[in-house]
Amino acid sequence: MEQYVIKGGNPLVGEVEIAGAKNAALAILTAAIMTDETVYIDNMPDVSDINVLLEAIGVIGAQMERIDRHTVKINGSTIGSVSVDYEFIKKIRASYYLLGALLGKYKKAEVPLPGGCNIGSRPIDLHLKGFRALGAKVDIRNGMVVASAEELRGANIFLDTVSVGATINIMMAASMARGNTIIENAAKEPHVVDTANFLNSMGANIKGAGTDVIRIKGVETLHKTNYSIVPDMIEAGTFMFAAAATKGDVLVKNIIPKHLEAMTAKLLEMGCEIEEFDEAIRVTAKNRLKRTHVKTQPYPGFPTDMQPQIAVSLALASGTSIVTESIFDNRFKYCDELARMGANVKVEGNVAIIDGVERLTGARVSSPDLRAGAALVIAGLTAEGITVIDDIVYIQRGYEDFENKLTGLGALIERVSSEKEIQKFKLRVG
Ligand code: EPZ
């Protein structure tokens, strides 16, 4: 299994380019099969989750071609099956977007029910509630969600919990239903808006994305389009907090500052200097960070996908911080690993109480999930000595060229796959 080996202590200094948003790309790639015409999508992140979904789309019969590393061409006219293999849903839960896309286009879909996940139980009851409201018959049989409808009809749907996945999945199916659909208590994340904009560029009629009420007028068919994915606010945030934690000075480029407001506000509270440009943001941290409290919320609140990264930064801040995770029920697993690096953190249910320490020390740790893995890399970048992070396959699911981008900012980090390579790294960095 591949690992990262890091020698901590270097402040991150320089410029970094942010890739397209993984969580927008997963939804948009799926929506692209809803037309029989050809769709070009660029600014796609080259990460493993995207590559798995592209494979799943190919397996059901869509034509898919990688024009270059960040551009794909898709044509859904040759889809021959509406049944998705279990292996894909096991690899990435977001394969469940195929439910909304296939149900919308073919009025039938069979997709394995996603299982649990490292950050908590993640039911899809709201997705299924939405499909049923649109008139689909939805059964769970042998671990599969089997959905079908003579015809989908517009409906008023209230989401009990704000859900990105349910909002996007229902929006896709409703875009080709007959009549009007209203989704209330909808998620407002930039990737929900990006998916609505993409569907509208294909001829859908969706209004209100980005607010908590989305109105959709169903259309008969969708047509070709060329589209560019929105920048990844979580990749951007990860580099912003890495700059803060290492007392660095980093210009994060190819971003939309508005998407980062919750994170920028926290970095200012923690004593960082922030300089905003049209498509870039500069984070400078000259002194030890200050403590703050944070509670994760749906957008535009502080994102749950940035919870591990701010927690690691607060582990080094002066004072005691409280981090509350209000979205998922098991997203503090990384804290045990962090404690092995010397952090003083106590988890009580969905709250982590963090007493900042002067420094962390390098250790051998394991990455429990995508964002926690990125946070442990940040911890290693600040730590005294050598850190080895196992299971980095999780990190590669959502960060393109992560170690190269960090190296470009002055970090001493390498991807290795043997003890011998770790020893060579240690000799090289001294
Ligand atoms: C999306 O997951 C993201 N994944 C997650 O990012 C992100 O953490 C999450 O949104 C919240 O922002 C993708 O976009 C592929 P939810 P999703 O439905 O859609 C509950 C990453 O690191 N819920 O908004 O699955 C659910 O259990 C990943 O990139 C139901 O109860 O999240 C959770 O408590 C991790 N029933 C809450 O809603 C449902 O039917 C929010 O989940 C659906 C969700």
Side-chain angles (χ1 to χ4, degrees):
M1 293 287 274
E2 289 195 309
Q3 302 158 302
Y4 281 142
V5 55
I6 301 167
K7 180 171 189 257
N10 289 7
L12 296 186
V13 177
E15 300 186 356
V16 64
E17 279 280 336
I18 298 304
K22 163 182 82 85
N23 292 345
L26 289 168
I28 286 168
L29 265 185
T30 315
I33 65 168
M34 296 179 76
T35 174
D36 282 344
E37 297 180 8
T38 298
V39 170
Y40 290 88
I41 306 167
D42 70 26
N43 202 35
M44 294 283 297
D46 183 11
V47 295
S48 58
D49 268 11
I50 295 296
N51 301 329
V52 168
L53 189 61
L54 282 168
E55 196 188 336
I57 288 170
V59 164
I60 61 172
Q63 294 160 51
M64 185 278 295
E65 185 190 336
R66 204 94 190 214
I67 307 288
D68 64 38
R69 190 177 182 200
H70 298 120
T71 309
V72 291
K73 171 184 170 186
I74 289 179
N75 181 298
S77 63
T78 50
I79 288 173
S81 160
V82 292
S83 180
V84 178
D85 289 350
Y86 176 63
E87 63 164 302
F88 294 112
I89 204 87
K90 206 170 58 173
K91 286 179 185 167
I92 50 156
R93 305 170 47 78
S95 311
Y96 58 42
Y97 284 142
L98 286 163
L99 272 170
L102 294 169
L103 190 61
K105 184 180 182 183
Y106 299 109
K107 309 303 181 264
K108 55 185 177 179
E110 281 184 27
V111 176
L113 190 66
C117 165
N118 292 342
I119 59 176
S121 69
R122 296 172 71 183
I124 64 164
D125 57 309
L126 297 175
H127 302 232
L128 308 187
K129 169 185 169 181
F131 298 145
R132 290 185 176 114
L134 294 170
K137 184 175 179 309
V138 181
D139 298 309
I140 309 285
R141 267 204 308 271
N142 311 106
M144 299 288 285
V145 178
V146 182
S148 63
E150 282 303 310
E151 177 188 64
L152 290 178
R153 291 180 311 282
N156 286 7
I157 300 161
F158 182 87
L159 295 180
D160 312 43
T161 311
V162 175
S163 161
V164 168
T167 302
I168 288 175
N169 231 346
I170 296 165
M171 191 166 69
M172 282 198 277
S175 64
M176 295 188 80
R178 182 182 298 279
N180 299 336
T181 294
I182 298 177
I183 305 174
E184 294 194 76
N185 200 25
K188 300 181 273 195
E189 274 71 4
H191 35 289
V192 172
V193 177
D194 213 30
T195 306
N197 293 341
F198 173 74
L199 285 163
N200 283 340
S201 78
M202 290 166 77
N205 185 334
I206 301 170
K207 291 183 172 53
T211 74
D212 53 9
V213 181
I214 299 179
R215 297 171 192 281
I216 301 149
K217 282 189 188 332
V219 295
E220 290 272 307
T221 54
L222 295 170
H223 55 68
K224 65 187 175 199
T225 185
N226 295 352
Y227 196 79
S228 193
I229 303 286
V230 71
D232 193 321
M233 62 185 248
I234 303 301
E235 186 194 13
T238 303
F239 280 98
M240 290 163 70
F241 276 87
T246 59
K247 296 205 188 76
D249 179 354
V250 175
L251 183 68
V252 181
K253 297 163 69 177
N254 185 30
I255 52 104
I256 298 172
K258 174 114 186 85
H259 292 168
L260 308 173
E261 281 178 349
M263 295 175 255
T264 307
K266 282 300 163 192
L267 287 168
L268 286 168
E269 279 175 36
M270 293 163 68
C272 295
E273 284 170 27
I274 299 282
E275 201 177 346
E276 274 189 17
F277 305 90
D278 286 349
E279 296 181 345
I281 195 161
R282 182 174 176 187
V283 179
T284 312
K286 293 195 176 73
N287 310 308
R288 186 177 181 190
L289 298 174
K290 297 178 199 146
R291 71 109 162 105
T292 187
H293 301 323
V294 61
K295 180 173 183 181
T296 63
Q297 297 282 5
Y299 190 86
F302 192 88
T304 174
D305 290 350
M306 284 299 304
Q307 179 258 89
Q309 297 92 315
I310 191 170
V312 164
S313 307
L314 292 170
L316 290 160
S318 54
T320 300
S321 304
I322 297 174
V323 178
T324 307
E325 172 56 60
S326 68
I327 308 290
F328 291 113
D329 55 21
N330 185 17
R331 200 164 198 172
F332 284 121
K333 275 199 325 200
Y334 65 93
C335 290
D336 294 335
E337 300 297 290
L338 210 47
R340 298 182 56 245
M341 298 177 74
N344 189 337
V345 53
K346 185 156 179 46
V347 176
E348 298 277 348
N350 71 335
V351 173
I353 299 144
I354 304 172
D355 283 321
V357 294
E358 289 281 341
R359 71 179 56 74
L360 297 175
T361 53
R364 204 172 189 115
V365 292
S366 173
S367 160
D369 64 73
L370 163 58
R371 306 302 176 182
L376 289 172
V377 168
I378 294 175
L381 293 172
T382 71
E384 215 169 68
I386 299 288
T387 297
V388 177
I389 299 179
D390 293 335
D391 301 332
I392 62 169
V393 64
Y394 284 111
I395 302 173
Q396 268 128 31
R397 293 183 51 177
Y399 290 93
E400 179 184 307
D401 289 344
F402 195 42
E403 68 276 9
N404 295 335
K405 290 186 177 182
L406 288 167
T407 304
L409 293 170
L412 293 172
I413 178 172
E414 219 167 271
R415 196 192 315 191
V416 294
S417 46
S418 70
E419 277 308 315
K420 191 158 161 280
E421 288 179 357
I422 292 174
Q423 295 316 319
K424 271 172 69 179
F425 173 85
K426 286 179 178 175
L427 285 173
R428 183 167 69 79
V429 300

